[in-house]
Amino acid sequence: MPAEVVHTAAPKIESTFKARDVEGAFDLYFYRPIGFWLAQFFARLKMTPAGVSLLAAIFGVVAGHLYFYRDLSINVAGMVLHVCANTLDNADGQLARLTHRESRDGRIIDSIADHLVFVSIYFHLTLRYLFQGWSPAICFLAIAAGISHGLQGAAADYYRNTYLYFVTTRAGTDLDSSSGLQSDYRKLTWRHTPWQKLLLALYLNFTRQQEMLAPRLKTLRNVVGQLFHSEIPDWLRTRYRNLARPMLKWWGLLMTNIRMLVLFALLFISQPVYYFWFELIPLNFLFVYLLFRQEKMAESMLDRLEHAR
C-alpha cells in the first residue's frame, strides 16, 4: 500500500500577529503582509529573528544618515530605507512567532535596534542644522525631543503588552516585571555571561522606566497575578478589554508609523526641525493625557477587584 501522505496546513498571516486589536490599520494592510512574506523567506534561509532585527537597524541607521543632507533626492532615498527598516522590524517579530522562537533576548535586541535607528535620525538631523549655522541650542531641543520619544515609546509598548497580558490567552508572554528581571540579573555574572548580563541590564532599566510611568497599572498586574496567577477569569478579560480597547488607537499615535509620516512630510518641505517640536508639544500632550486615562482605568479595576474579594 502506498505510504500515507501527510499534508501540513500552510501558516496563516494571523498566526504572526500579536493580536489584531493592537495592530494599526497601516500595519495590517501594509507592513504585516510584506513582513509575513519576508518572515517565510527568512525562515527558509534559517535566519534568526535577532539577525533580522540587526538588519533592520542597519537600514534605519543609514536612513538617519541620509537625512543629514539637504538634497531632497537623498532624503527620499533615506525614506525608502526607513520604510525598509520598519518592514524588517515587523518581520523579525513575525519570524519569531512563525518559527516559535520568541524569546526575551530577541525582544531586547529588537528594542535596542529600534533605539539605534532613532538615535541616528535625531543625531543626523541635529548635525544638519549645526552645519547650517544654527545655534548649539538645537542640541538641547533634539535631546529633549529624544527623551520624550523614549518615554512615549516605552509607555505605549507597556500598555500594549499589558493589554495582551489581560485580554489574550498569551498571558505573560511579553510582560516582564522588574522584580523578576532583577532576580534573573543577579544569577548572571560579568565574567561568564557578559553579553547576556548587559542585555538584561538594559532591559531591566527599560522595564523599571515603564513601571515608573504606570504605577497603578503595575499594581493591578501584581494584584491580578496574586489572585489568579495565569488563569485570568473571563469577566476580568472582558472588563479590561472594554475599558482599554478604545484607547489603543490613541496609543498607536505614539508608535513609529505616525512619527515616520510626519518626518517624511517635513523632509519634503525641508523643515525637519519641526519634527522635534512635534515630539515635544502635541505628542507629549497626548502622552500625559493617556497616562492619566490609563491610571484612572487601573484604579477603577483595582476597586472592582477589592469588592470582588
Side-chain angles (χ1 to χ4, degrees), residues 123-291:
F123 176 72
H124 286 98
L125 287 180
T126 303
L127 286 183
R128 174 176 175 147
Y129 283 99
L130 288 175
F131 274 70
Q132 289 181 44
W134 281 50
S135 164
I138 189 70
C139 297
F140 296 102
L141 178 65
I143 291 170
I147 292 172
S148 297
H149 180 155
L151 294 174
Q152 294 160 11
D157 181 72
Y158 188 59
Y159 283 114
R160 184 175 65 172
N161 286 333
T162 302
Y163 182 87
L164 294 172
Y165 172 81
F166 279 107
V167 172
T168 74
T169 56
R170 301 172 65 248
T173 301
D174 295 332
L175 189 62
D176 293 299
S177 66
S178 59
S179 57
L181 292 173
Q182 181 69 43
S183 176
D184 292 343
Y185 177 77
R186 288 171 179 164
K187 295 175 184 176
L188 301 176
T189 63
W190 288 109
R191 181 177 180 180
H192 297 102
T193 53
W195 175 242
Q196 289 84 354
K197 195 170 179 72
L198 175 62
L199 287 179
L200 197 53
L202 294 172
Y203 191 48
L204 175 59
N205 180 65
F206 180 69
T207 303
R208 283 173 173 164
Q209 182 184 88
Q210 290 179 315
E211 292 176 349
M212 287 174 60
L213 289 169
R216 300 298 288 171
L217 191 59
K218 176 179 180 291
T219 301
L220 175 62
R221 183 261 174 110
N222 291 340
V223 169
V224 169
Q226 292 167 6
L227 291 176
F228 308 110
H229 304 289
S230 61
E231 299 297 327
I232 300 176
D234 289 340
W235 71 265
L236 183 56
R237 292 187 190 280
T238 301
R239 183 168 178 81
Y240 192 93
R241 179 189 288 112
N242 291 340
L243 291 174
R245 189 174 181 179
M247 286 183 283
L248 285 175
K249 62 182 178 181
W250 299 109
W251 280 112
L253 296 179
L254 297 179
M255 303 298 283
T256 301
N257 290 342
I258 188 66
R259 288 188 171 92
M260 288 177 62
L261 291 173
V262 171
L263 176 60
F264 290 177
L266 292 171
L267 285 165
F268 270 110
I269 62 173
S270 297
Q271 295 294 334
V273 68
Y274 289 108
Y275 175 74
F276 296 149
W277 291 111
F278 174 69
E279 283 281 2
L280 285 171
I281 300 176
L283 289 191
N284 268 341
F285 272 113
L286 177 62
F287 173 51
V288 172
Y289 169 72
L290 289 175
L291 282 180

Side-chain angles (χ1 to χ4, degrees), residues 63-76:
H65 172 71
L66 296 181
Y67 295 154
F68 164 78
Y69 302 97
R70 298 179 64 189
D71 187 303
L72 180 59
S73 61
I74 297 177
N75 292 165
V76 170

